[in-house]
């Protein structure tokens, strides 16, 4: 019987757009201040999420909407904007597509937590380990780094296991281990007669050593 575990990847930081900073006179990564700027001009409303240069704190405004008719905006939404509602600020700070359309590049988080949930524990000496990777928010981490870190293996050991056909990855493809983690990836390990099988199964489930 196999052990099956879901790993949910939770990035520690929001994406950072690279913006030309007028004070630094070069491109810098900017981070969300968590605050909005709202301009009400008669019936029209503009709103931005304020970003700050990571180097000098100069500001850049990320447009959320422009010249929106005040009547189209619900009172609750207006209130959330003017009170810098943290949930709403987080929502826009994770709008990678919107940020990409405004910035030359967007840096995604490289630091993250793995939340490990056992779906089916299987036997103590399970021969198969199935991992389902859920990554709803963008992270730029490579799959081999994620797996090696989460399972307590070296990356070279992981690569060897993959070459030996003990690791099946779906969707796969060339160099899949070196590519960024994708939401919905499934990784199946064949643990038969593997000396570190117990350690891998235990770490996968988050028992003992947390990562
Ligand atoms: Zn700057």
């Amino acid at each position: 019987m196999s052990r099956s575990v879901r790993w949910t990847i939770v990035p520690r930081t929001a994406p950072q757009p690279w913006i030309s900073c007028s004070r630094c006179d070069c491109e810098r990564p900017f981070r969300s201040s968590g605050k909005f700027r709202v301009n009400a001009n008669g019936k029209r409303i503009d709103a931005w999420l304020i970003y700050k240069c990571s180097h000098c704190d100069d500001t850049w405004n990320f447009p959320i909407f422009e010249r929106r008719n005040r009547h189209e905006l619900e009172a609750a939404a207006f209130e959330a904007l003017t009170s810098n509602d943290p949930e709403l600020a987080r929502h826009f700070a994770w709008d990678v597509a919107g940020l990409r359309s405004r910035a030359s590049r967007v840096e995604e988080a490289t630091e993250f937590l793995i939340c490990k949930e056992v779906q089916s524990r299987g036997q103590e000496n399970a021969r198969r380990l199935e991992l389902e990777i859920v990554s709803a928010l963008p992270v730029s981490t490579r799959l081999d780094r994620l797996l090696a870190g989460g399972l307590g293996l070296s990356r070279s050991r992981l690569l060897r296991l993959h070459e030996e056909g003990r690791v099946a990855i779906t969707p796969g493809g060339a160099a899949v281990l070196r590519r960024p983690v994708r939401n919905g990836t499934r990784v199946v390990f064949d643990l038969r007669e593997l000396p570190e099988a117990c350690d891998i199964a235990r770490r996968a489930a988050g028992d003992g050593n947390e990562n």
Side-chain angles (χ1 to χ4, degrees):
M1 225 182 110
S2 61
R3 168 169 291 195
S4 113
V5 184
R6 179 183 296 149
W7 282 9
T8 303
I9 313 305
V10 185
R12 283 182 192 269
T13 51
Q16 296 192 339
W18 279 67
I19 300 292
S20 176
C21 175
S22 50
R23 199 183 293 170
C24 292
D25 200 23
C26 64
E27 283 206 342
R28 298 280 193 200
F30 276 59
R31 49 170 191 268
S32 167
S33 69
K35 295 201 162 39
F36 294 101
R37 186 182 150 203
V38 182
N39 258 10
N41 203 335
K43 282 185 199 151
R44 301 285 174 183
I45 295 180
D46 303 290
W48 301 266
L49 180 61
I50 302 171
Y51 276 73
K52 287 190 171 181
C53 171
S54 58
H55 198 74
C56 74
D57 271 359
D58 204 17
T59 58
W60 169 70
N61 294 333
F62 172 37
I64 290 166
F65 53 78
E66 288 163 298
R67 301 190 57 73
R68 174 80 58 93
N69 192 319
R70 174 142 196 177
H71 299 300
E72 291 171 12
L73 199 66
E74 286 176 29
F78 187 73
E79 167 64 22
L81 282 169
T82 50
S83 65
N84 297 315
D85 179 69
E87 262 317 296
L88 193 67
R90 258 176 61 83
H91 171 81
F92 287 110
W94 286 102
D95 175 13
V96 180
L99 287 167
R100 284 226 169 92
S101 70
R102 306 277 178 178
S104 60
R105 72 185 172 102
V106 176
E107 205 169 282
E108 293 169 5
T110 52
E111 288 186 28
F112 53 87
L113 297 170
I114 308 174
C115 176
K116 299 170 177 176
E117 291 167 274
V118 176
Q119 307 293 302
S120 136
R121 189 157 279 281
Q123 288 161 335
E124 198 46 54
N125 55 350
R127 291 168 176 182
R128 244 167 80 94
L129 167 68
E130 295 181 15
L131 290 181
E132 178 198 358
I133 296 171
V134 178
S135 176
L137 297 168
V139 284
S140 62
T141 303
R142 285 161 43 152
L143 183 58
D144 58 351
R145 285 184 204 278
L146 174 79
L147 292 173
L151 297 171
L153 295 170
S154 69
R155 277 195 287 143
S156 56
R157 179 68 180 138
L158 178 71
L159 192 63
R160 217 171 316 128
L161 293 175
H162 187 242
E163 283 166 359
E164 287 169 7
R166 283 182 174 274
V167 187
I169 302 168
T170 327
V176 64
L177 278 170
R178 290 205 299 272
R179 285 199 253 115
V181 172
R182 281 167 63 182
N183 188 27
T185 299
R186 299 189 80 85
V187 186
V188 179
F189 286 82
D190 176 359
L191 299 178
R192 282 174 299 177
E193 289 155 32
L194 205 64
E196 65 266 66
C198 285
D199 281 345
I200 292 177
R202 206 168 49 230
R203 297 241 185 158
D207 299 346
N209 195 333
E210 258 316 300
N211 192 291

